Amino acid sequence: MSNVLAELIASFGERLVVAEIDAAGLRIFEIRVDDLGTPYLTRRAAAKWPTLTASGEQILDAVRGLARELIPAEEADPFVVLLGAGGAEQEACLRALTQWRPSAQVVEAPGTPVEGLLRDLIAGSPLRQAYDLIVARERAKDGRLELVGRHLFDPGAKPGTTAQVTVTCTDAGGMLLAVSAWTGPLQPSGLLSVDHAPLAPGRHSLRAVLERPGVVRFPGIPGLQPDTRPWAEVTATVPARLRPPAGPAHLVCAIETAGTAAELEARCHWAGCLLDVLDERCHDPRPQVSIVGYGTHVFGIKHPYHALPNVAVWSASPARARIALESLEPTEPTYPNAAQLEDVLAETSTRLLPQPADTRTALLTIGARPPHPARSGLDRVPPCPARYDWPDLLRELEQRHDLRSAAICDTLPTSPSSPWHRLGSAALCQVDAVNVDELTIRLGLVLPSSAALVLPFVSQNEDFGDRP
């Protein structure tokens, strides 16, 4: 009997339904797989014989009513009936179920605790999806870090299977061992587990054991503890590079000048702090900085004009950019709901064309108002007079110059569809709460002082079936 069930549990599609008939009554179980391919058991219904009348026809109706929502009439899902006892009630119940599903497979199971048996068989079933350890690796073309899956177990692996993987710990505080399930090439379906391993910096050969579907253990690591941080928070700590990046860097600071003198001063304060960090930490090669001030468009006049952004300085040293920053003056906001940020992107796209191909480029936008759209929409914000399409311009900059963009807003947006989320894809901060050190790291301009990773590291030449 257990062999029949084991084969069905290993091979069923979306679900497997098991009905248990014994001396006490009828119980119906359902086995499904979750999004990570892990099977799980649910007890869906139960009825004792006193609740089912002795009449064969009435038992038939009662069982059909109990099973109608649980046992599909179609043949797609397998259905197994385990008969644990004989008698009039049991035989009538069996007839009812087999009439409801003529293809039902009937298995004799006298004296067997079915629920425990099913749980044991599920725990011993082979994997449906591959399991990988998530590691960080440097891309061959530019040295940027990427997260890949280091192979642990293939589909079909059985509990008790072991795997050996060698990785490097770069952080004195240890590293996270994150196991992911994969449905196929380039298709990770999600995290199975994340544990913190308090290991010393250096190379480590780890032994992984598949305990059961959904559970991977790493024996031999004292003090291994689950890590409960959101995965997005973990990946946000991964620097752009582990080693110092090659080639020059160029930071474009776009600062909205529309508003009061106090508002402009607060915006320029953080730009100045960032320039000071770059001037102190980056020397060979020294990064280039551009300062661009922008205001608001003028609408509703007889002869409208298209004012260009104020390029205070372009591709200068951080010290010269600091002087140019102080030359910005507040301007009167002529339109309250948007600013000429799209013009800044257009100007930046034009001016960046001559720079070397290996230049690391970053855009920091500091302001209050989002850009104008290329055409009027439901929000009734008037379109840019030059009809610049800011999402297309930003996408072009990212693709052509591998640009990273961050934003500092006077007030953080409440709508998830706000353009500020797109403009601040690397980092989005409010003007009164900015971590400048983290901002320079997120923009790819400065590396963490330790250049450490919270995840295991593997070098580019260690190719053992990594999945990107």
Side-chain angles (χ1 to χ4, degrees):
M1 176 197 63
S2 61
N3 290 338
V4 172
L5 286 174
E7 291 176 3
L8 284 170
I9 290 173
S11 61
F12 75 91
E14 293 188 4
R15 74 170 184 170
L16 168 66
V17 180
V18 179
E20 177 188 14
I21 302 174
D22 62 10
L26 169 68
R27 284 167 294 281
I28 298 177
F29 302 92
E30 182 179 74
I31 304 174
R32 287 184 177 270
V33 291
D34 61 19
D35 293 338
L36 304 182
T38 306
Y40 63 94
L41 177 69
T42 304
R43 185 172 178 173
R44 296 299 305 275
K48 295 182 179 180
W49 295 125
T51 64
L52 302 173
T53 59
S55 166
E57 190 62 36
Q58 288 176 322
I59 288 180
L60 177 63
D61 292 340
V63 170
R64 282 177 174 172
L66 184 65
R68 191 176 302 276
E69 298 298 325
L70 302 176
I71 306 173
E74 65 271 13
E75 302 297 317
D77 296 324
F79 175 38
V80 181
V81 180
L82 300 181
L83 187 59
E89 295 91 353
Q90 290 85 355
E91 292 297 331
C93 184
L94 178 61
R95 284 195 303 272
L97 292 177
T98 52
Q99 287 179 25
W100 177 254
R101 278 289 301 272
S103 63
Q105 188 169 352
V106 181
V107 179
E108 298 284 343
T112 302
V114 170
E115 184 169 357
L117 173 65
L118 292 176
R119 295 191 186 279
D120 290 342
L121 291 176
I122 288 173
S125 63
L127 291 187
R128 292 170 173 258
Q129 298 175 199
Y131 285 0
D132 288 358
L133 180 69
I134 298 179
V135 299
R137 182 182 65 183
E138 291 173 312
R139 293 194 312 202
K141 62 179 182 179
D142 57 10
R144 284 184 175 272
L145 289 174
E146 60 181 350
L147 299 185
V148 299
R150 173 55 58 90
H151 170 257
L152 290 178
F153 304 107
D154 286 323
K158 296 182 178 180
T161 304
T162 63
Q164 207 79 17
V165 59
T166 299
V167 295
T168 298
C169 177
T170 62
D171 192 335
M175 59 184 175
L176 297 184
L177 303 180
V179 179
S180 174
W182 292 71
T183 57
L186 308 181
Q187 296 179 9
S189 60
L191 289 172
L192 285 167
S193 60
V194 182
D195 295 300
H196 178 260
L199 296 171
R203 286 174 64 82
H204 296 271
S205 182
L206 307 179
R207 177 171 170 263
V209 178
L210 177 62
E211 183 169 305
R212 63 178 184 271
V215 179
V216 174
R217 303 293 186 197
F218 293 90
I221 303 180
L224 194 69
Q225 294 290 334
D227 189 278
T228 58
R229 283 177 291 175
W231 184 244
E233 182 179 321
V234 172
T235 56
T237 66
V238 178
R241 291 178 175 86
L242 186 63
R243 298 181 176 88
H250 188 170
L251 169 66
V252 178
C253 282
I255 302 171
E256 182 183 344
T257 58
T260 66
E263 289 172 333
L264 179 59
E265 182 181 0
R267 297 166 192 163
C268 291
H269 167 75
W270 293 115
C273 290
L274 191 145
L275 294 178
D276 292 342
V277 171
L278 296 182
D279 196 33
E280 176 186 346
R281 299 187 185 178
C282 305
H283 301 288
D284 187 21
R286 188 175 294 278
Q288 299 297 295
V289 181
S290 299
I291 303 294
V292 182
Y294 66 95
T296 55
H297 287 302
V298 178
F299 299 98
I301 61 177
K302 187 174 182 180
H303 300 290
Y305 63 94
H306 184 206
L308 296 176
N310 171 25
V311 181
V313 70
W314 190 265
S315 195
S317 67
R320 282 188 56 202
R322 198 69 160 89
I323 298 173
L325 183 66
E326 295 172 358
S327 70
L328 296 181
E329 296 182 354
T331 58
E332 185 71 24
T334 56
Y335 180 74
N337 299 325
Q340 58 174 167
L341 237 175
E342 71 284 353
D343 292 64
V344 173
L345 294 174
E347 185 75 14
T348 300
S349 180
T350 301
R351 288 177 176 261
L352 284 179
L353 287 177
Q355 72 179 6
D358 62 344
T359 302
R360 292 169 289 120
T361 311
L363 170 67
L364 174 62
T365 305
I366 310 176
R369 298 163 183 81
H372 287 268
R375 58 193 63 84
S376 296
L378 296 176
D379 54 8
R380 298 185 179 180
V381 174
C384 171
R387 296 300 189 269
Y388 288 135
D389 191 317
W390 72 265
D392 283 351
L393 288 168
L394 184 57
R395 192 178 305 113
E396 180 183 357
L397 285 167
E398 290 171 336
Q399 293 173 352
R400 182 178 298 177
H401 302 285
D402 199 16
L403 177 121
R404 296 168 69 91
S405 58
I408 300 175
C409 301
D410 286 11
T411 304
L412 288 179
T414 56
S415 171
S417 61
S418 169
W420 287 114
H421 291 289
R422 181 70 179 86
L423 291 161
S425 58
L428 180 60
C429 315
Q430 188 162 307
V431 75
D432 59 355
V434 180
N435 185 324
V436 176
D437 289 333
E438 182 179 353
L439 187 60
T440 58
I441 294 171
R442 293 288 188 92
L443 286 170
L445 301 171
V446 174
L447 289 177
S449 56
S450 62
L453 292 169
V454 70
L455 292 170
F457 173 74
V458 295
S459 64
Q460 185 61 43
N461 58 5
E462 294 180 280
D463 186 8
F464 298 103
D466 293 339
R467 281 182 257 263

